[in-house]
């Protein structure tokens, strides 16, 4: 434990009433056991509630007015059975034919027809050599709502085929329940363990290291529990709980770290426990509150894209962030009050103060940058731009079952269907298009339209097969299936989609008085990609404007927010570039457990932009608030920057290392989208906390000098005052 300072801390001016945050922190410090007990009760209630409400998660996207949605609606209105959710069950033998293995296949099909929720089982479609066959199984409710336990029923039903020596795989939309549930426990343990090591090195004591970790785990448990409860009413995407856990754990540890660091310094300076906790909550707590609100605004801006699935992903992450911020303002002060001056007990090394004075390493580093700011700026920009170069090859798409782990039932089904040379149905069989022709107002007979449609589709480049167009029961529609020559996640299949919707179908039906719509899962994913690409600039614009306005009000400058916006754009671009190199080009993808290169999932860039911008504002606010404080107290620009780096450099570096470790731990997830988000966020955080905060920001501030703080007087008078 540190000896108190030789001079007593200055008391508050007479008549000064402590702020609400100060009073909140002091109250929690006086009643630590009660506050901690309340949080533990809330944790238990949240986890229990999430298990009892029946949460639902689905990646199904609705695009009202789109080709795919219109086609699906026409099918459901004309023949509801055609619109039933369905998936494929694939049967395969390594030698001989499926039909040559006794009656195992027939027995399996009979059992499948008797399963609850099954409305129809098609006749088997067999490959040329007879080694592979598949059936389409239709259900009377969304497949995902059947739950993973339904796979056991499917296994029981197909057991006769397996006993006859026939391998079985589940494909199509059955992957929603057939994929092994994500088990990220091992990865999370690695991330938490790494965070603990960093905290031990940062604080030098077990007590100080365990507090941020323990409080973060409690708050993130509450956050994920609340997300699960909300999921009983709102349907979240399948990655929502993992995203909430990942973001909540990262910011939860960071926020607690910032408060614990400030508290330790006040203890070193001689304040009693209650006063130190109150000061900590009033000071760093306010910065945490503003940072959390900034992250929340960035995440909630995702609703502006008009896609509920994307908006709700932002809502799930926002819920976790706000709950961890609330814990930072109540639970952390309670824990600090409970530990008090014993914060440095159980030492692993000698604890040190947060700054060593005007000649510490950070001040010396600042002087080095000040001597050659242009050199540091050029080097930092070169590194970030180099990372961003692959961004220009970015290709958005949907990750199909071909990226599932080798040996999984969904991967088996995909590979058997895709095998060429007569041993399957070709890669396009995993991502067919359904063409729906509305015959209302037709000027030709249905047979004539069907013949012209089939002939034109068969001649289209990239089409492997076309089924004969068939009328629906009421005769209002023609329906045909188009099989591409390439797999669903390839650029060629995306080009075929555009060719069919923009040229082939309009040209074929131009003089027939009919209209065609392309629908099905693959078409829906491609149309979703196009919609996300179109609306991404809206999200970027909203986030940039909000960040600019916040920083302008806080730091009373036009230059600082402009610099922050530009640098954060560069950081985001660099993280996008790394994703393209790793996932799309396949550089090092084996290290992440990937079996093949994949496109960037269509909504990942939008999600990453909002999250990265929100998180980067945390470090921006913590660093610049200290620099601004020194500047406004009369120090010159170089002194202010050096002091700001000295006071925040170590804690920001530790926070970034912790958040990076947490994010990287999720790259072990079996879900490819989670891998992408985890790696992208880890790269952006480490670049932001090192290259941006420690190189680009100080070098630019040295070059700009007094211009950093330029704000027109007329604007200064009209802006509200908000300090950190």
């Amino acid at each position: 434990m540190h000896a108190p300072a030789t001079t007593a801390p200055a008391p508050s001016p007479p008549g000064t009433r402590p702020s609400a945050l100060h009073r909140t922190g002091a109250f929690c410090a006086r009643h630590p056991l009660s506050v901690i007990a309340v949080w533990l009760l809330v944790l238990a209630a949240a986890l229990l509630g999430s298990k009892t409400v029946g949460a639902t998660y689905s990646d199904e996207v609705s695009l009202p007015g789109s080709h795919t949605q219109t086609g699906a609606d026409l099918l459901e209105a004309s023949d509801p059975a055609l619109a039933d959710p369905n998936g494929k069950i694939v049967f395969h033998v390594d030698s001989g034919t499926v039909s040559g293995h006794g009656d195992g296949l027939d027995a399996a099909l009979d059992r499948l027809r008797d399963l609850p929720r099954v409305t129809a089982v098609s006749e088997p479609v067999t490959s040329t050599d007879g080694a592979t066959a598949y059936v389409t199984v239709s259900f009377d409710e969304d497949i995902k709502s059947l739950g993973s336990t339904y796979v056991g029923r499917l296994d029981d039903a197909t057991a006769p085929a397996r006993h006859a020596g026939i391998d079985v795989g589940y494909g199509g939309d059955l992957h929603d329940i057939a994929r092994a549930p994500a088990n990220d426990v091992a990865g999370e343990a690695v991330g938490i363990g790494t965070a603990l090591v960093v905290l031990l090195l940062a604080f030098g004591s077990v007590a100080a290291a365990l507090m941020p970790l323990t409080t973060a785990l409690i708050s993130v448990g509450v956050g994920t529990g609340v997300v699960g409860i909300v999921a009983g009413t709102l349907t979240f995407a399948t990655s929502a709980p993992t995203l909430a856990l990942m973001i909540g754990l990262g910011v939860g540890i960071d926020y607690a770290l910032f408060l614990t660091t400030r508290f330790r310094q006040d203890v070193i300076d001689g304040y009693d426990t209650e006063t130190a906790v109150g000061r900590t909550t009033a000071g760093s707590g306010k910065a945490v509150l503003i940072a959390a609100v900034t992250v929340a605004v960035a995440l909630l801006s995702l609703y502006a894209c008009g896609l509920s699935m994307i908006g709700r992903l932002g809502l799930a992450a926002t819920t976790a962030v706000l709950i961890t911020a609330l814990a930072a303002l109540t639970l952390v002060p309670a824990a600090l009050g409970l530990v008090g001056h014993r914060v440095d007990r159980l030492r692993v090394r000698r604890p040190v103060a947060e700054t060593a004075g005007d000649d510490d390493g950070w001040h010396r580093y600042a002087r080095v940058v000040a001597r050659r700011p242009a050199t540091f700026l050029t080097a930092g920009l070169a590194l970030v731009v180099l990372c961003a170069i692959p961004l220009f090859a970015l290709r958005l798409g949907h990750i199909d079952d071909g990226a599932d782990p080798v040996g999984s039932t969904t991967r088996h089904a995909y590979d058997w269907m895709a095998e060429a040379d007569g041993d399957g149905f070709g890669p396009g069989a995993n991502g067919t298009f359904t063409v729906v022709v509305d015959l209302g107002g037709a000027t030709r007979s249905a047979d004539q339209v069907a013949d012209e449609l089939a002939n034109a589709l068969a001649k289209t480049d990239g089409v492997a097969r076309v089924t004969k167009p068939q009328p629906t029961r009421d005769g209002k529609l023609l329906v045909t299936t188009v099989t591409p020559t390439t797999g669903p996640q390839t650029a060629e299949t995306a080009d075929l989609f555009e060719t069919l919707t923009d040229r082939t179908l309009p040209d074929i039906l131009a003089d027939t008085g009919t209209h065609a719509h392309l629908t099905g899962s693959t078409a829906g994913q491609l149309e979703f990609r196009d919609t996300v690409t179109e609306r991404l600039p809206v999200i970027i614009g909203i986030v940039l404007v909000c960040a600019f306005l916040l920083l302008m009000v806080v730091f009373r400058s036009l230059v600082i927010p402009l610099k922050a916006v530009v640098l954060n754009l560069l950081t985001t671009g660099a993280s996008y570039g790394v994703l393209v190199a790793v996932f799309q080009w396949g550089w090092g993808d084996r290290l992440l457990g990937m079996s093949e290169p994949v496109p960037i999932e269509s909504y990942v860039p939008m999600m990453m932009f909002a999250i990265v911008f929100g998180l980067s504002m945390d470090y921006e606010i913590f660093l610049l608030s200290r620099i601004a404080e020194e500047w406004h107290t009369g120090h010159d620009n170089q002194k202010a920057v050096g002091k700001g780096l000295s006071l925040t450099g170590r804690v920001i570096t530790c926070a970034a290392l912790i958040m990076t470790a947490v994010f990287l731990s999720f790259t072990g997830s079996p879900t490819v989208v989670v891998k992408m988000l985890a790696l992208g966020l880890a790269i952006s955080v480490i670049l932001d906390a090192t290259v941006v905060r420690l190189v680009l920001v100080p070098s630019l501030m040295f070059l700009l000098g007094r211009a950093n703080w330029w704000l027109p007087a007329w604007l200064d008078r009209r802006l509200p005052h908000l300090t950190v």
Side-chain angles (χ1 to χ4, degrees), residues 589-611:
D589 56 352
R590 303 286 178 178
L591 297 175
L592 297 177
M594 300 290 296
S595 58
E596 62 178 25
V598 296
I600 305 304
E601 184 68 40
S602 53
Y603 64 85
V604 163
M606 183 179 287
M607 288 295 305
M608 272 188 57
F609 185 84
I611 297 171

Side-chain angles (χ1 to χ4, degrees), residues 563-616:
K563 169 184 61 63
V565 164
V566 172
L567 292 181
N568 286 333
L569 280 174
L570 287 174
T571 303
T572 308
S575 59
Y576 286 173
V578 172
L579 287 189
V580 171
V582 172
F583 289 95
Q584 195 174 306
W585 294 354
W587 292 6
D589 56 352
R590 303 286 178 178
L591 297 175
L592 297 177
M594 300 290 296
S595 58
E596 62 178 25
V598 296
I600 305 304
E601 184 68 40
S602 53
Y603 64 85
V604 163
M606 183 179 287
M607 288 295 305
M608 272 188 57
F609 185 84
I611 297 171
V612 167
F613 226 91
L615 295 179
S616 66

Side-chain angles (χ1 to χ4, degrees), residues 43-384:
L43 172 63
L47 295 178
L48 180 62
S50 67
K51 291 185 178 298
T52 57
V53 297
T56 57
Y57 301 95
S58 174
D59 292 328
E60 185 177 352
V61 181
S62 176
L63 299 172
S66 65
H67 273 291
T68 52
Q69 190 64 49
T70 301
D73 292 342
L74 287 171
L75 277 177
E76 186 171 10
S78 181
D79 190 347
L82 294 176
D84 282 347
N86 63 77
K88 289 184 174 65
I89 297 183
V90 186
F91 302 90
H92 177 80
V93 293
D94 292 328
S95 61
T97 63
V98 172
S99 59
H101 281 62
D103 59 358
L105 177 59
D106 292 335
L109 298 184
D110 289 339
R111 289 195 180 189
L112 285 171
R113 293 186 180 100
D114 292 336
L115 285 179
R117 322 311 306 182
V118 171
T119 58
V121 178
S122 71
E123 290 300 316
V125 180
T126 307
S127 62
T128 305
D129 61 359
T132 304
Y134 74 86
V135 296
T136 301
V137 182
S138 300
F139 301 88
D140 61 5
E141 64 176 276
D142 179 64
I143 292 177
K144 185 172 287 292
S145 66
L146 297 173
S148 58
T149 56
Y150 196 85
V151 177
R153 294 177 179 268
L154 294 176
D155 289 341
D156 291 340
T158 56
R162 290 190 178 89
H163 292 157
I166 302 173
D167 295 322
V168 182
Y170 304 128
D173 288 347
L174 279 175
H175 62 202
D176 287 337
I177 59 174
R179 284 175 175 157
N183 185 3
D184 302 320
V185 174
E188 293 163 20
V190 172
I192 293 171
T194 305
L196 179 59
V197 170
V198 175
L199 289 168
L200 286 171
L201 293 175
F203 290 124
S205 72
V206 175
L210 285 178
M211 271 192 301
L213 200 56
T214 304
T215 55
L217 288 173
I218 293 173
S219 63
V220 81
V222 174
T224 53
V226 170
V227 168
I229 293 172
V230 176
T233 303
L234 299 177
T235 301
F236 285 112
T238 53
S239 57
T242 304
L243 180 65
L245 175 62
M246 182 166 57
I247 302 299
L249 191 58
V251 300
I253 297 175
D254 271 13
Y255 292 164
L257 170 64
F258 290 132
L259 269 73
T260 306
T261 301
R262 179 66 176 265
F263 173 77
R264 284 186 68 249
Q265 187 61 51
D266 278 354
V267 168
I268 292 171
D269 291 341
Y271 288 95
D272 64 84
T273 297
E274 184 177 324
T275 303
V277 173
R279 283 169 49 84
T280 295
T281 312
S284 295
K286 188 173 183 180
V288 164
L289 186 59
I290 293 176
V293 170
T294 304
V295 176
V297 169
L299 289 169
L300 291 178
S301 69
L302 291 168
Y303 271 106
C305 72
L307 301 170
S308 60
M309 187 192 88
I310 303 296
R312 288 173 184 173
L313 278 171
L315 176 62
T318 298
T319 301
V321 169
L322 292 181
I323 289 176
T324 54
L326 179 61
L329 300 177
T330 55
L331 179 60
V332 174
L336 293 174
L338 185 64
V339 174
H341 282 239
R342 300 185 300 276
V343 68
D344 283 329
R345 294 288 293 272
L346 302 176
R347 300 177 183 179
V348 295
R349 67 167 177 80
R350 182 183 178 186
V352 296
E354 301 310 313
T355 177
D358 292 345
D359 198 41
D360 64 6
W362 291 107
H363 278 89
R364 293 195 297 273
Y365 169 74
R367 289 195 289 271
V368 172
V369 177
R371 286 197 295 270
R372 293 184 177 84
T375 302
F376 277 83
L377 178 63
T378 303
L381 287 175
L383 177 60
V384 174

